Amino acid sequence: MFKINENYQKLPGSYLFSTIAKKVSEYQEKNPDRRVIRLGIGDVTQPIAPAIIDAMHRAVDEMGNAETFRGYAPDLGYDFLRKAIADNDYRARGCEVSEDEIFVSDGAKSDSANIQEIFAESCRIAVCDPVYPVYVDSNVMAGRTGDYDAKTETWSRVIYMPTTAENHFVPEFPRETPDIIYLCLPNNPTGTTLTKSQLQEWVDYANRIGAVILYDAAYEAYISEDDVAHSIYECEGARTCAIEIRSFSKNAGFTGVRLGFTVVPKDLKCGDVSLNAMWARRHGTKFNGAPYIVQRAGEAVYTDAGKAQVKEQVAYYMKNAATIKTGLADAGYEVFGGVNAPYIWMRTPQGMTSWEFFDYLLENANVVGTPGSGFGPSGEGYFRLTAFGNYENTVEALERIKAL
Ligand code: MLT
């Protein structure tokens, strides 16, 4: 008789964004005349930029021609894309990252969920609280998190680092010693970030205690301030303690196309064992490479035209962020984030819980956001709005919220 992976049974409820989607479709079914504006999940709305679409068309044509047809992609990524990434995302910023330290994938979500596989089950993970749920859930599935306490909504073996308005959303070094530290900067969900010198302190700390930092930089393109690092490898010593995960979803609108990459420096070792070699082994066994057409699209993001068009799109979303931020502040709400990230984090009004405010906003303004408590216990009393909507809807959503 087969047995299941019992760890899955420990997962509470369904994935946050599935729960929200279900609630919204139930509401919409009961109220078909209401026009609901969705500022919940961080999914992009603007079409993929022309330079990227052109590159995809060319790649599609190549696939229809016997001379240029491609079968399986190299499982670590095509050289043309790995070179474009190394040149533009790293060398141009003075970071030492070579092509063979870059692993192209189908996105940052899968990489951030899968990367834990190369670490021992006994490793203790530390996460910011609130946190992108994938980091914790993937470790639950792997049996690394201990028991769930429904009352505190915490796992016994997870080290939580609260990031709230009280500590200006800057995590403190935990009292217990972690083996793996997840950092997402600029942060999802709070929309805040650390300065480069604050990040350097985390790199120094990780090197000191022998921990690895899993650094999710999916929102890097939204950084607007000078003293914020675009890559953890801008910090001295990061090559011996950090893995960086990047996405094409948020900067170039690839949420439905799927492309990302992970950097595992060759200097990152556990004794004599290279984590770069381990991840290459894992990739080779479990992944057959991102599609050629999609990797050509990714390459086009780094062309002059691609860069300019993508920059315009980021500016479009950041205009939404400013609209949300000032709109909420004018309406008397306490707001955070939205300067270096496409997320606005607000305190719920009048002591409402996050889910109470979710229902209130859905029913009275027909606007969907994300309840802060869905990201962890310290998210209770907060609420997230995304800047990834279209501008007209964003303006209308804010008018509706202001009119409440
Ligand atoms: C979010 O809304 O937090 C993001 O869409 C999550 C993701 O990118 O998977």
Side-chain angles (χ1 to χ4, degrees), residues 15-17 40-43 109 132-134 188-189 218-219 247 249-250 255 258 343 370 375 384 386 388:
Y15 184 59
L16 172 63
F17 294 105
I41 190 163
D43 195 2
K109 181 178 184 175
Y132 181 44
V134 172
N188 178 17
Y219 299 95
S247 170
S249 289
K250 317 292 172 164
T255 52
R258 308 308 308 151
Y343 293 123
T370 308
F375 296 101
R384 192 192 79 177
T386 163
F388 285 124

Side-chain angles (χ1 to χ4, degrees), residues 159-173:
I159 300 169
Y160 292 89
M161 306 181 289
T163 49
T164 60
E166 284 62 45
N167 62 10
H168 308 284
F169 304 97
V170 177
E172 284 161 28
F173 299 142

Side-chain angles (χ1 to χ4, degrees), residues 207-271:
N207 275 323
R208 199 163 61 239
I209 64 168
V212 63
I213 296 176
L214 302 180
Y215 191 77
D216 182 347
Y219 299 95
E220 168 277 329
Y222 291 84
I223 293 170
S224 67
E225 293 180 321
D226 288 342
D227 64 345
V228 179
H230 286 253
S231 162
I232 196 164
Y233 304 115
E234 287 179 41
C235 295
E236 215 172 300
R239 286 183 55 84
T240 53
C241 71
I243 290 176
E244 181 164 292
I245 299 168
R246 292 271 193 115
S247 170
F248 287 80
S249 289
K250 317 292 172 164
N251 61 335
F254 280 33
T255 52
V257 174
R258 308 308 308 151
L259 190 67
F261 62 90
T262 287
V263 176
V264 188
K266 293 205 192 121
D267 299 348
L268 183 53
K269 292 195 171 146
C270 182

Side-chain angles (χ1 to χ4, degrees), residues 255-303:
T255 52
V257 174
R258 308 308 308 151
L259 190 67
F261 62 90
T262 287
V263 176
V264 188
K266 293 205 192 121
D267 299 348
L268 183 53
K269 292 195 171 146
C270 182
D272 289 340
V273 180
S274 150
L275 270 66
N276 178 290
M278 282 181 81
W279 191 239
R281 185 70 178 83
R282 189 264 173 211
H283 233 52
T285 300
K286 295 198 175 183
F287 190 59
N288 248 341
Y292 174 69
I293 298 161
V294 174
Q295 293 198 49
R296 279 293 183 203
E299 181 191 29
V301 171
Y302 298 104
T303 59

